[in-house]
Amino acid sequence: MKTGSLLQATVLIGAIALATASFAQKKYDPGATDTEIKIGSIMPYSGPASAYGQIGKLHMAYFQKINDEGGINGRKIKLLSVDDGYSPPKAVEMARRLVEQDEVLFIFQSLGTPSNSAIHKYMNAKKVPHLFVATGATKWGDPKDFPWTMGWQPNYQTEGRIYAKDILATRPNAKIAVLYQNDDYGKDLLKGLKDGLGDKAGRLIVAEATYEVSDPTVDSQIVSLKGSGADVLINIATPKFAALAIRKVHDIGWKPVHYLNNVSASVGSVLVPAGLDKSVGLITVAYQKDALDTQWANDPGMKEFVAFMAKYLPDGKLSDALNAYGYSVAQTLVQVFKQCGNDLTRANIMRQAASLKDFQLPLLLPGIKINTSPTDFYPIESLQLQRFDGKQWVLFGKVIE
Amino acid sequence: MDAFIAQVLSGLVTGGIYASVALALVMIYQATHLVNFAQGELAMFCTYLAWTMLDAGFPYWAAFAATIALAFVCGVVIERVVIRPIGESSVLAVVVVFIGLLVIFNSLAGWIFTYTVKPFPSPFPAEPLFGNHYVSSHGIGAIGVTLVVLALLYAFFRFTSLGLAMRAAAQNPVSARLVGIRVGWTRALGWGLAAAVGSIAGMMVAPTVYLDPNMMAGILLYAFAAALVGGIDNPWGAVAGGFLVGVLENLLGAYVIGTELKLTVALVLIVGVLVIRPSGLFGRVTVKRV
């Protein structure tokens, strides 16, 4: 009898302890349960920017891998990835559907500056995390006014400032011509460039030309820019237009120092169409390892990525840098989940996303780390310059903050 | 001066692109008296067919010819299967179908071939002719091809009885039927020919602007402007309109209004022509007896 009551008491205390423990730890907002974390994503699977839809496909594949390995803390990740066709009104419709009807925990990597701008206020009014948005605009790192939105990749202004630094260091008397897409993205990068050049901007920039995404070619713009007598060209264009510009610059016999923005640094989808021989000497910034670059052939992180691609996304091309990008972002999210533990509330998701410390990813260049804080919503802020040698990008210089 | 010449010549090359697509629009208009919004997407899709054949190792001109034949069949089939059942119910219904076709072909191409930009080979030499720095050999070659297509179309409508029958069937279907023209089939033929002309345009455009499912989206708008400026019932006019729009757009963009407003030029042209001279610069003014 005595032993019996002791046993009973132990069991009872144990049960109470367990119950309170789980009560203290497990906290959920809509979308999270003991077995599943449901998140949403908005991608341009159709429409003019549909090349980026590849990122969404990669996320699906990566979370499949995580789920096959047992999920995170026993929870499977369910990603509802929907198509907005790169159309802002459609993005609003999709965000509302994901938040109000599907009740996802948060929206992850919604793509495109226009689409994200359209849902920016909605997400913050609803207090639903709008996490690691897939755009390089600078406005996503504003924790004071928009505490529920965070970007991921280096923003365009940082990139523009780095080009400015390099120009000032290597050719202080450059005559700069700028080709840019006539929208927020183009103007954002241009602003970074001008900020970086400081009071010299007015003197050094001798010509600017814009294009619209509906323009068939940028031939006329390139001819105008060449006519300005510039010896440095800053190419702020999306893949197709970047390729058109690279080819035209070569064909009209212009030989400027040609900076190409990172958005279009893909060898497979930009430089190959433009012509590899015409791309020699291009300069861009990088923060990711290039899967085609032989110097990473024996890199453990790269090997893991190649194996992952072969198993989970066999029809995705390694040459497409968007795959490596999606892979790294998905890994960052997994880290956030790990840090969250059993507290899967929306507030904690943002808290943990804003406390990534010196987090390193297998596909980021050595020396580039992810750092966030409650006042720093820019995960990646350092970049390294690289030059195209006709076959691949070759890094040079140091990692620049 | 050098820059000016370069602007004019590059305007002629882009103008050649507009002209080639405008020709397909003229073709379908001559045969059906309708403006087909899906013409550009159809051409883009046919270009993908050509790309598939080239990728599989076909020689260029074989793939070129096969694509034109396939495009012709494709056009006829679309007319028979999709357009004909609607008949003459209403213009609006047909326009909705055109827009539907546009979206379908665009998505289909994206789904099958992905949206990644693809380089498309040119049959012309890679290096510019005579070492000039203004226009690529392909640019000149494409203009040449456009002019050949133009001559063929003109001859077809002007000198063949089939071309005459087609014009008659489009202008006055009832009378045409009474004199023994099989109106249904001339329309299908018109669709087939327009698709074939479009596919040539697509194969000439793709090396310049790269092949992707949205290749024709911007071009079609300029082609409309070109066709309207020249007169949509006149192949010569459409081609002249194409060159005019290309050069005008470049010169105004570079020297007058700035690059931001280039697209506006095309839109202003469309509206301006419709308001001031709806038949276009070279179009025939139609007079209706009341």
Side-chain angles (χ1 to χ4, degrees), chain B residues 30-207:
Chain B
Q30 287 279 51
T32 63
H33 265 214
L34 289 168
V35 175
N36 182 3
F37 297 108
Q39 199 71 59
E41 301 308 294
L42 194 58
M44 173 275 296
F45 195 81
C46 293
T47 314
Y48 267 108
L49 296 181
W51 179 84
T52 313
M53 284 184 254
L54 290 169
D55 205 40
F58 278 70
Y60 185 90
W61 293 110
F64 186 84
T67 304
I68 296 174
L70 270 176
F72 180 82
V73 174
C74 195
V76 172
V77 169
I78 289 177
E79 202 279 340
R80 290 277 109 175
V81 177
V82 189
I83 306 296
R84 197 170 156 74
I86 314 169
E88 318 207 340
S89 52
S90 100
V91 179
L92 279 181
V94 180
V95 168
V96 170
V97 170
F98 285 160
I99 293 172
L101 283 173
L102 184 156
V103 176
I104 290 171
F105 276 111
N106 186 287
S107 308
L108 206 60
W111 184 52
I112 302 174
F113 303 106
T114 78
Y115 287 90
T116 316
V117 171
K118 290 181 171 62
F120 190 89
S122 162
F124 305 107
E127 287 312 307
L129 285 181
F130 318 117
N132 80 81
H133 280 318
Y134 300 116
V135 268
S136 62
S137 311
H138 178 79
I140 299 170
I143 291 177
V145 170
T146 304
L147 294 177
V148 170
V149 174
L150 164 65
L152 289 175
L153 271 192
Y154 177 76
F156 174 75
F157 281 121
R158 184 75 178 76
F159 301 117
T160 68
S161 53
L162 190 58
L164 188 66
M166 201 175 275
R167 279 160 61 197
Q171 254 169 23
N172 194 337
V174 179
S175 304
R177 205 168 274 131
L178 287 177
V179 296
I181 296 171
R182 297 180 64 180
V183 174
W185 275 108
T186 57
R187 277 193 191 151
L189 199 62
W191 265 83
L193 286 176
V197 171
S199 74
I200 298 174
M203 286 183 282
M204 287 299 118
V205 169

Side-chain angles (χ1 to χ4, degrees), chain B residues 200-226:
Chain B
I200 298 174
M203 286 183 282
M204 287 299 118
V205 169
T208 309
V209 304
Y210 300 122
L211 180 56
D212 75 313
N214 304 308
M215 168 174 93
M216 285 293 185
I219 294 175
L220 190 69
L221 192 69
Y222 287 102
F224 271 128

Side-chain angles (χ1 to χ4, degrees), chain A residues 18-71:
Chain A
L18 209 68
T20 45
S22 59
F23 185 72
Q25 280 181 356
K26 290 195 178 174
K27 276 199 202 159
Y28 296 130
D29 267 343
T33 64
D34 282 349
T35 54
E36 189 184 80
I37 308 172
K38 188 160 65 175
I39 59 177
S41 185
I42 305 172
M43 285 280 156
Y45 290 112
S46 63
S50 23
Y52 292 116
Q54 186 62 27
I55 298 172
K57 290 182 196 155
L58 193 120
H59 290 155
M60 294 289 215
Y62 191 76
F63 294 137
Q64 185 60 48
K65 170 183 136 76
I66 294 288
N67 292 345
D68 286 354
E69 290 165 359

Side-chain angles (χ1 to χ4, degrees), chain A residues 129-198:
Chain A
H130 182 204
L131 200 55
F132 301 147
V133 295
T135 120
T138 310
K139 63 183 182 188
W140 313 121
D142 181 8
K144 230 170 72 194
D145 300 317
F146 294 97
W148 298 91
T149 301
M150 188 187 286
W152 186 82
Q153 71 226 56
N155 63 67
Y156 298 136
Q157 289 190 19
T158 305
E159 187 180 345
R161 274 195 298 275
I162 286 175
Y163 296 138
K165 265 185 196 170
D166 191 53
I167 293 170
L168 289 176
T170 55
R171 351 185 118 232
N173 292 315
K175 280 185 273 179
I176 306 170
V178 187
L179 173 74
Y180 67 98
Q181 186 165 311
N182 190 18
D183 64 4
D184 282 0
Y185 136 73
K187 289 173 185 165
D188 210 16
L189 216 155
L190 181 63
K191 180 174 187 303
L193 179 78
K194 286 183 174 170
D195 289 352
L197 293 172

